[in-house]
């Protein structure tokens, strides 16, 4: 069984778009080692992240996320189990959202592209 975790937090002003790129690159690297997949949604004000993997990997990952100085007030809004991954092959995708615009960046596998 695969576990998932969804959290929200408030983005600090020190978290520039360049910092988002750093988050993406380090997440792709670290998550591949821990067999974690997911997506990070962000706006000028908030983060929403969905992560999936083993229960222990998610716990360890979230403990690091709680310490990250680029956001504040992280709060888990849901956890649970699923039979198979939603973001198979996505060690981390990133999507910027605003009320009027969505911009999506990731490196999906060919299977993921066919599913879109």
């Amino acid at each position: 069984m695969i576990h998932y975790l969804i959290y929200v937090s408030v983005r600090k002003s020190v978290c520039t778009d360049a910092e988002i790129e750093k988050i993406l690159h380090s997440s792709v690297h670290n998550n591949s080692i821990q067999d974690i997949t997911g997506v990070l949604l962000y706006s000028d004000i908030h983060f929403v992240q969905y992560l999936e993997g083993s229960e222990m990997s998610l716990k360890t990952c979230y403990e690091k996320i709680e310490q990250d100085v680029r956001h504040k007030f992280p709060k888990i809004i849901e956890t649970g189990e699923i039979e198979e991954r939603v973001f198979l092959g996505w060690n981390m995708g990133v999507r910027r959202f605003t009320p009027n615009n969505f911009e999506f960046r990731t490196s999906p596998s060919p299977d993921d592209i066919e599913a879109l």
Side-chain angles (χ1 to χ4, degrees):
M1 203 52 76
I2 302 294
H3 291 262
Y4 71 90
L5 178 149
I6 304 168
Y7 78 88
V8 296
S9 64
V10 175
R11 180 178 174 183
K12 288 185 176 179
S13 60
V14 297
C15 187
T16 63
D17 287 345
E19 289 297 317
I20 299 293
E21 286 295 321
K22 290 178 185 177
I23 291 169
L24 175 60
H25 291 292
S26 65
S27 294
V28 167
H29 174 75
N30 295 332
N31 291 353
S32 65
I33 293 169
Q34 296 298 320
D35 196 27
I36 294 173
T37 53
V39 65
L40 174 66
L41 306 175
Y42 69 97
S43 70
D44 291 338
I45 302 169
H46 294 100
F47 287 110
V48 178
Q49 190 165 31
Y50 171 92
L51 299 168
E52 53 195 18
S54 74
E55 186 174 22
M56 183 55 77
S57 292
L58 294 182
K59 181 178 188 255
T60 301
C61 181
Y62 186 72
E63 287 171 354
K64 290 179 184 176
I65 288 168
E66 286 182 303
Q67 302 305 312
D68 195 315
V69 298
R70 295 171 286 201
H71 71 148
K72 59 186 175 182
F73 311 126
K75 180 178 178 167
I76 294 175
I77 58 172
E78 188 171 338
T79 61
E81 294 180 345
I82 51 178
E83 290 188 26
E84 52 186 59
R85 291 177 189 266
V86 175
F87 291 94
L88 183 64
W90 290 19
N91 293 112
M92 188 50 55
V94 177
R95 177 177 274 192
R96 179 181 181 87
F97 64 94
T98 66
N100 301 317
N101 182 24
F102 287 88
E103 177 185 309
F104 189 65
R105 294 175 298 147
T106 191
S107 298
S109 70
D111 292 337
D112 294 325
I113 292 170
E114 288 177 18
L116 294 176

